[in-house]
Amino acid sequence: MVKNGEGGSWSAPGPKNKRGGLSGLINSMPEFQDDSMPDIDMVEFDPLLDSSNVGPSEWCELATLVGEYYFDYDGFVIIHGTDTISYTASALSFMLEGLGKAVVLTGSIIPMCEPFNDARRNLIASIMFASQLELSEVAVFFNDRLLRGNRAVKVDSHSLAAIDSPNFPPLATAGAGGISTPNRHLWRAPPICRLRVHTNLE
């Protein structure tokens, strides 16, 4: 499942910034017609939110959505603006106790509607990681690295490597040779309890 919640750099002025616009753009991508790509369903916030307006109520909505569809999908991808993506990822990592599937947040610096952009690559890689059944945690994928959600931070507003994890190595990387997992030993072990969604943030 792909959850499109925030506008940010993913959306651009015009029709693609309206409800269904980005979903239509993603559905038209030839990559998703390839048999090697997993099937996806998309859900959108209405209205789309700038990530600077995302806070506890939106975190609760996202966590509840994961809990509601938990047994229907192998993993979840959340498209998020970069300004607060690290806050959302960190919050979800604590709100989703006993998470046994991947929840991958991603975003971009350059909108998908631009001829040159990082949005397309980030989305495709995030979906590939989210479909890996071995990944049992909240993560952020940006540029070429999969980062632990509660260790990610925005370090640059203009670089394609805008999100980093200075104090913890990447969980995996994606490059010309495909997906590399030299730090596979750092991945969280599968949970020993059922998923519990915590939405009381008092």
Side-chain angles (χ1 to χ4, degrees):
M1 168 186 263
V2 176
K3 171 66 174 170
N4 177 28
E6 292 75 43
S9 298
W10 275 81
S11 303
K16 294 183 180 64
N17 201 26
K18 296 180 180 178
R19 179 172 173 80
L22 185 57
S23 296
L25 186 63
I26 292 173
N27 280 323
S28 69
M29 291 170 58
E31 291 87 346
F32 292 108
Q33 313 309 316
D34 192 290
D35 291 339
S36 64
M37 289 294 289
D39 295 331
I40 63 171
D41 290 322
M42 284 179 281
V43 178
E44 291 188 21
F45 269 132
D46 187 14
L48 294 176
L49 301 176
D50 186 281
S51 65
S52 62
N53 295 321
V54 174
S57 62
E58 288 74 30
W59 301 339
C60 290
E61 183 174 347
L62 289 169
T64 300
L65 193 70
V66 170
E68 182 179 351
Y69 291 100
Y70 187 69
F71 294 105
D72 297 327
Y73 296 93
D74 293 330
F76 301 85
V77 173
I78 299 172
I79 298 173
H80 200 295
T82 59
D83 284 345
T84 58
I85 190 172
S86 58
Y87 297 101
T88 299
S90 183
L92 290 178
S93 73
F94 294 102
M95 296 170 72
L96 299 171
E97 180 185 359
L99 180 65
K101 300 182 179 183
V103 176
V104 182
L105 287 80
T106 192
S108 72
I109 295 298
I110 306 172
M112 185 177 282
C113 64
E114 297 294 335
F116 173 77
N117 68 78
D118 57 328
R120 180 184 296 263
R121 177 184 61 177
N122 287 350
L123 175 63
I124 292 171
S126 296
I127 290 175
M128 292 173 66
F129 278 116
S131 65
Q132 291 197 17
L133 299 181
E134 297 87 357
L135 189 62
S136 303
E137 61 181 287
V138 177
V140 175
F141 182 85
F142 217 89
N143 194 32
D144 61 354
R145 293 181 297 170
L146 185 73
L147 309 172
R148 175 153 290 161
N150 54 29
R151 296 298 187 98
V153 63
K154 186 172 184 178
V155 296
D156 197 321
S157 295
H158 304 288
S159 169
L160 297 184
I163 310 298
D164 198 4
S165 178
N167 299 315
F168 197 81
L171 300 175
T173 59
I179 293 175
S180 176
T181 58
N183 295 320
R184 177 67 177 81
H185 61 287
L186 297 176
W187 291 21
R188 294 194 182 281
I192 57 175
C193 61
R194 293 173 61 89
L195 176 70
R196 294 182 59 193
V197 179
H198 299 281
T199 57
N200 184 359
L201 305 182
E202 295 294 331

Coordinates of all heavy atoms in Angstrom, one line a residue, residues 5-8 45 47-59 61 80-85 87-88:
G5 N 0.3 11.3 1.7 CA -0.2 12.2 2.7 C 0.1 13.6 2.6 O -0.7 14.5 2.9
E6 N 1.3 13.9 2.1 CA 1.7 15.3 2.1 C 2.1 15.8 0.8 O 2.6 15.0 -0.1 CB 2.9 15.5 3.1 CG 2.5 15.3 4.6 CD 2.2 13.8 4.9 OE1 3.0 13.0 4.5 OE2 1.2 13.6 5.6
G7 N 2.0 17.1 0.5 CA 2.4 17.6 -0.8 C 3.9 17.7 -0.9 O 4.5 16.9 -1.5
G8 N 4.4 18.8 -0.3 CA 5.9 19.0 -0.3 C 6.4 19.0 -1.7 O 5.7 19.5 -2.7
F45 N -4.5 11.5 1.6 CA -5.1 12.5 2.5 C -6.0 13.4 1.7 O -5.7 13.7 0.6 CB -4.1 13.3 3.3 CG -3.7 12.7 4.6 CD1 -2.3 12.6 4.9 CD2 -4.6 12.3 5.5 CE1 -1.9 12.1 6.1 CE2 -4.2 11.8 6.7 CZ -2.8 11.7 7.0
P47 N -7.7 17.1 2.5 CA -6.8 17.6 1.4 C -5.4 17.1 1.7 O -5.1 16.7 2.8 CB -6.9 19.1 1.5 CG -7.1 19.3 2.9 CD -8.0 18.2 3.4
L48 N -4.6 17.2 0.6 CA -3.1 17.0 0.8 C -2.6 18.0 1.7 O -3.0 19.2 1.7 CB -2.4 17.0 -0.5 CG -2.8 15.9 -1.5 CD1 -2.0 16.1 -2.8 CD2 -2.4 14.5 -1.0
L49 N -1.6 17.6 2.6 CA -1.0 18.5 3.5 C 0.4 18.9 3.2 O 1.2 18.0 2.8 CB -1.1 17.9 4.9 CG -2.5 17.5 5.5 CD1 -2.3 16.8 6.8 CD2 -3.4 18.8 5.6
D50 N 0.8 20.1 3.5 CA 2.2 20.5 3.5 C 2.8 19.8 4.7 O 2.2 19.8 5.8 CB 2.4 22.0 3.5 CG 3.8 22.4 3.4 OD1 4.6 22.3 4.4 OD2 4.2 22.8 2.3
S51 N 4.0 19.3 4.6 CA 4.5 18.5 5.8 C 4.8 19.4 7.0 O 4.9 18.9 8.1 CB 5.8 17.8 5.3 OG 6.8 18.8 5.0
S52 N 4.9 20.7 6.8 CA 5.0 21.6 8.0 C 3.8 21.6 8.8 O 3.8 22.1 10.0 CB 5.4 23.0 7.5 OG 4.4 23.6 6.7
N53 N 2.7 21.1 8.3 CA 1.4 21.1 9.0 C 1.1 19.7 9.6 O 0.0 19.5 10.1 CB 0.3 21.5 8.1 CG 0.4 23.0 7.7 OD1 0.8 23.8 8.5 ND2 0.0 23.3 6.5
V54 N 2.1 18.8 9.5 CA 1.9 17.4 10.0 C 2.3 17.3 11.4 O 3.4 17.7 11.8 CB 2.6 16.4 9.1 CG1 2.5 15.0 9.7 CG2 2.1 16.4 7.7
G55 N 1.5 16.8 12.3 CA 1.8 16.6 13.7 C 1.1 15.4 14.3 O 0.8 14.5 13.6
P56 N 0.9 15.4 15.6 CA 0.4 14.2 16.3 C -0.9 13.7 15.7 O -1.1 12.5 15.7 CB 0.2 14.7 17.7 CG 1.3 15.8 17.9 CD 1.3 16.5 16.5
S57 N -1.9 14.6 15.3 CA -3.1 14.0 14.8 C -2.9 13.3 13.5 O -3.6 12.2 13.3 CB -4.1 15.2 14.6 OG -3.7 16.1 13.7
E58 N -2.0 13.7 12.7 CA -1.7 13.0 11.4 C -0.9 11.8 11.7 O -1.1 10.7 11.0 CB -1.0 14.0 10.5 CG -1.8 15.1 9.8 CD -2.1 16.2 10.8 OE1 -1.3 16.4 11.7 OE2 -3.2 16.8 10.7
W59 N -0.1 11.8 12.7 CA 0.7 10.6 13.0 C -0.3 9.5 13.5 O -0.2 8.3 13.1 CB 1.7 10.8 14.2 CG 2.7 11.9 13.9 CD1 3.1 12.3 12.6 CD2 3.5 12.6 14.8 NE1 4.1 13.3 12.8 CE2 4.3 13.5 14.1 CE3 3.5 12.6 16.2 CZ2 5.2 14.3 14.7 CZ3 4.4 13.5 16.9 CH2 5.2 14.3 16.1
E61 N -3.4 9.2 12.6 CA -4.2 8.8 11.4 C -3.4 7.8 10.6 O -3.9 6.7 10.1 CB -4.6 9.9 10.5 CG -5.4 9.6 9.3 CD -5.9 10.7 8.5 OE1 -5.8 11.9 9.0 OE2 -6.4 10.5 7.4
H80 N 5.9 11.6 1.9 CA 5.9 12.6 2.9 C 6.8 13.8 2.5 O 7.9 13.5 1.9 CB 6.4 12.0 4.2 CG 6.0 12.7 5.5 ND1 6.5 14.0 5.8 CD2 5.2 12.4 6.5 CE1 6.0 14.4 6.9 NE2 5.3 13.4 7.4
G81 N 6.5 15.0 2.8 CA 7.4 16.1 2.6 C 8.6 16.0 3.5 O 8.5 15.4 4.6
T82 N 9.7 16.6 3.1 CA 11.0 16.4 3.8 C 11.1 17.2 5.1 O 11.9 16.8 5.9 CB 12.1 16.7 2.9 OG1 12.1 18.1 2.4 CG2 12.1 15.8 1.6
D83 N 10.4 18.2 5.2 CA 10.6 19.1 6.4 C 10.3 18.4 7.7 O 11.0 18.6 8.7 CB 9.6 20.3 6.3 CG 10.2 21.4 5.3 OD1 11.3 21.3 4.9 OD2 9.4 22.3 5.0
T84 N 9.3 17.5 7.7 CA 9.0 16.8 9.0 C 9.0 15.3 8.8 O 8.5 14.6 9.7 CB 7.6 17.2 9.5 OG1 6.6 17.0 8.5 CG2 7.6 18.7 9.9
I85 N 9.6 14.8 7.8 CA 9.5 13.3 7.5 C 10.2 12.5 8.7 O 9.8 11.5 9.1 CB 10.2 12.9 6.2 CG1 10.0 11.5 5.8 CG2 11.7 13.3 6.2 CD1 10.4 11.1 4.4
Y87 N 10.4 13.4 11.8 CA 9.5 13.4 13.0 C 8.4 12.4 12.9 O 8.1 11.7 13.9 CB 8.9 14.8 13.2 CG 9.9 15.9 13.4 CD1 10.3 16.8 12.4 CD2 10.5 16.1 14.7 CE1 11.2 17.8 12.6 CE2 11.4 17.2 14.9 CZ 11.7 18.0 13.9 OH 12.6 19.0 14.1
T88 N 7.8 12.3 11.7 CA 6.8 11.3 11.5 C 7.3 9.9 11.6 O 6.7 9.0 12.3 CB 6.1 11.5 10.1 OG1 5.5 12.8 10.1 CG2 5.0 10.5 9.9

